């Protein structure tokens, strides 16, 4: 197979590129990524250049997307997005641009090039917030996004479904819970808390810390994406989760135990506005239709993730210092958009 991956220099995209190249020796990948602050060419370092190529380009620019698509491409997996809720609260413009407009550009380019399949990678945050006793979200749950990030992802999902209905585009959507694992940018809860703990800094817990998230290891998410890409039904949405609900306080305590740091490091800070109370996913569809089940229990996955950040201090220190921005230029000498 020949696959084009948008946003492949980010956290989940780079894990997916590595996973797909490892699992199928016959597959080659082109990554299209704008290398925003969240994109890091180092995440893709060491891959076989005969099977993987990184093209720096922006999904909001039709020429950039058309430039990587031709009749030989078997599938596009669309990860490229602005992904951090807190950033969407301080400025939503880039979210509307990349997540909504960029997705429409990808849809138009996929259709024009006759690419047989598009997998659009979305999030459980489009459903909104659950109360503690509510049933988990099914794929039929109405969309009630509360943050500009979630609203822009919901807009993208609706454009994908509209292209499938109107133009018969073969597109599938996944909506996954909170991911954790290697190569996650240290602005998100898990890598921020691990790297702050390793640096002797405070761990800032928003509000009362009682917000619940449904956690999944990124490697399980990648396997689910592979299954949906190969066998998901066109025009359909699949939830992806690992049935691991934890509130933020419990997760923080688990990380602190793994990192051997004391309670005094945990500081309660001002809550995020419109902070969703709880996410939880009903994953019967992907399990019953496609036979997918996650492998990695949260306790094991968190321990492995802490070990990875301990062993890859260079990687996250270059992010925290900003040095990672120079890597692409040093390796390839080309433009950094
Ligand atoms: P990330 O922020 O780590 O990576 C995003 C990547 O997209 C970066 O490499 C960035 O350079 C690239 N990008 C941003 N704007 C671009 C543009 N205009 N053109 C081309 N590339 C651009 O994000 P992530 O956590 O890896 O998330 C990937 C996808 O998965 C997103 O669509 C996100 O909504 C979805 N998702 C994430 C999670 C999670 O827990 N992180 C959960 C469910 C779904
Ligand atoms: P985050 O990793 O930003 O993912 P999302 O908001 O997309 O779920 O945050 C996960 C949870 O952790 C969320 O409830 C907000 C909370 N949080 C903190 O308490 N402190 C922090 O510094 C961060 C980044 C998040």
């Amino acid at each position: 197979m020949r696959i084009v991956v948008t946003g492949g220099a980010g956290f989940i995209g780079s894990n997916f590129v590595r996973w797909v190249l490892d699992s199928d020796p016959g597959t080659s990948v082109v990554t299209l990524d704008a290398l925003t602050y969240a994109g890091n060419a180092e995440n893709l370092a060491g891959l076989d250049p005969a099977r993987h190529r990184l093209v720096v380009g922006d999904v909001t620019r039709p020429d950039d997307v058309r430039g990587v698509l031709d009749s030989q491409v078997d599938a596009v997996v669309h990860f490229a997005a602005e992904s951090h809720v807190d950033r969407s609260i301080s400025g939503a413009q880039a979210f509307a641009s990349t997540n909504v407009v960029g997705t429409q550009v990808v849809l138009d380019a996929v259709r024009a090039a006759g690419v047989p399949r598009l997998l659009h990678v979305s999030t459980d945050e489009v459903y909104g917030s659950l109360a503690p006793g509510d049933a988990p979200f099914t794929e039929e749950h109405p969309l009630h996004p509360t943050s500009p990030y979630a609203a822009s992802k919901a807009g993208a999902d609706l454009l994908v479904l509209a292209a499938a209905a109107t133009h018969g585009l073969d597109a599938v959507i996944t909506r996954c819970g909170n991911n954790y694992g290697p190569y996650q940018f240290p602005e998100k809860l898990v890598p921020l808390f691990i790297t702050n703990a390793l640096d002797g800094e405070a761990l800032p817990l928003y509000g009362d810390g009682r917000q619940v998230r449904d956690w999944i290891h990124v490697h399980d998410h990648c396997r689910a994406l592979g299954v949906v890409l190969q066998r998901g039904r066109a025009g359909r949405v699949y939830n992806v989760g690992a049935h691991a609900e934890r509130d933020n306080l419990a997760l923080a305590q688990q990380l602190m135990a793994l990192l051997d740091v004391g309670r005094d490091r945990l500081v309660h800070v001002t809550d995020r506005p419109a902070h969703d109370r709880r996410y939880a996913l009903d994953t019967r569809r992907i399990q019953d239709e496609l036979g997918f089940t996650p492998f990695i229990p949260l306790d094991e996955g968190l321990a492995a993730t802490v070990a990875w950040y301990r062993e890859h201090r260079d990687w996250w220190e270059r992010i925290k210092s900003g040095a990672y921005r120079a890597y692409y230029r040093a390796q390839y000498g080309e433009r950094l958009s």
Side-chain angles (χ1 to χ4, degrees):
M1 275 185 98
R2 285 188 51 192
I3 302 179
V4 168
V5 172
T6 73
F11 163 46
I12 307 173
S14 63
N15 276 282
F16 180 78
V17 170
R18 287 176 184 282
W19 175 81
V20 92
L21 293 174
D22 279 351
S23 27
D24 180 5
T27 292
S28 63
V29 174
V30 171
T31 293
L32 177 71
D33 198 296
L35 296 182
T36 67
Y37 82 92
N40 183 352
E42 287 188 53
N43 296 355
L44 298 165
L47 299 178
D48 177 357
R51 297 181 59 209
H52 176 260
R53 190 161 58 94
L54 170 61
V55 175
V56 179
D58 188 328
V59 292
T60 66
R61 292 192 204 140
D63 286 348
D64 288 5
V65 182
R66 283 196 289 257
V68 293
L69 297 185
D70 58 44
S71 58
Q72 306 299 307
V73 173
D74 296 298
V76 171
V77 184
H78 179 42
F79 293 93
E82 290 292 334
S83 69
H84 191 39
V85 172
D86 294 327
R87 285 178 186 258
S88 80
I89 293 167
S90 44
Q93 189 70 50
F95 289 74
S97 176
T98 290
N99 301 2
V100 182
V101 176
T103 297
Q104 187 59 49
V105 169
V106 168
L107 288 166
D108 289 342
V110 161
R111 197 157 68 87
V115 176
R117 170 145 278 203
L118 170 71
L119 168 53
H120 172 67
V121 182
S122 189
T123 165
D124 60 359
E125 302 194 28
V126 298
Y127 296 122
S129 185
L130 291 171
D134 289 349
F137 299 122
T138 67
E139 289 85 351
E140 311 310 329
H141 194 279
L143 305 188
H144 283 306
T146 57
S147 71
Y149 163 66
S152 66
K153 292 296 290 187
D157 287 17
L158 295 177
L159 290 172
V160 173
L161 293 173
T166 307
H167 301 296
L169 191 83
D170 183 325
V172 275
I173 297 178
T174 52
R175 293 189 182 136
C176 190
N178 282 61
N179 283 225
Y180 65 94
Y183 298 108
Q184 187 167 27
F185 197 86
E187 64 182 353
K188 305 279 168 63
L189 180 75
V190 169
L192 180 75
F193 277 26
I194 296 174
T195 57
N196 278 10
L198 292 173
D199 268 350
E201 290 171 13
L203 316 183
L205 194 66
Y206 296 164
D208 62 6
R210 293 295 179 192
Q211 299 78 15
V212 174
R213 297 293 182 264
D214 198 345
W215 294 93
I216 183 169
H217 193 281
V218 66
H219 292 163
D220 272 334
H221 186 192
C222 291
R223 285 180 42 250
L225 293 171
V227 167
V228 174
L229 183 62
Q230 284 188 334
R231 292 188 280 113
R233 273 165 50 189
R236 208 147 166 82
V237 176
Y238 294 90
N239 287 342
V240 180
H243 313 115
E245 288 187 52
R246 288 286 189 290
D247 72 29
N248 294 336
L249 182 59
L251 192 84
Q253 283 167 343
Q254 200 167 343
L255 289 172
M256 289 189 301
L258 287 164
L259 288 151
D260 203 20
V261 300
R263 277 298 299 262
D264 55 315
R265 291 280 194 83
L266 198 64
V267 291
H268 287 268
V269 298
T270 308
D271 206 355
R272 173 189 281 174
H275 195 173
D276 287 340
R277 198 68 186 166
R278 173 175 168 242
Y279 305 139
L281 285 160
D282 182 324
T283 59
R284 279 176 291 180
R285 179 177 288 174
I286 192 170
Q287 189 176 324
D288 297 349
E289 264 185 37
L290 306 180
F292 172 79
T293 47
F295 287 159
I296 307 173
L298 183 59
D299 296 356
E300 281 175 29
L302 284 180
T305 301
V306 167
W308 191 89
Y309 284 85
R310 277 190 197 282
E311 286 157 18
H312 291 80
R313 184 177 263 277
D314 281 3
W315 178 85
W316 56 264
E317 277 187 343
R318 278 198 295 280
I319 292 179
K320 289 199 170 184
S321 74
Y324 75 109
R325 302 283 288 162
Y327 178 85
Y328 181 81
R329 246 185 248 113
Q331 289 292 308
Y332 302 91
E334 290 176 29
R335 84 185 156 95
L336 187 66
S337 45

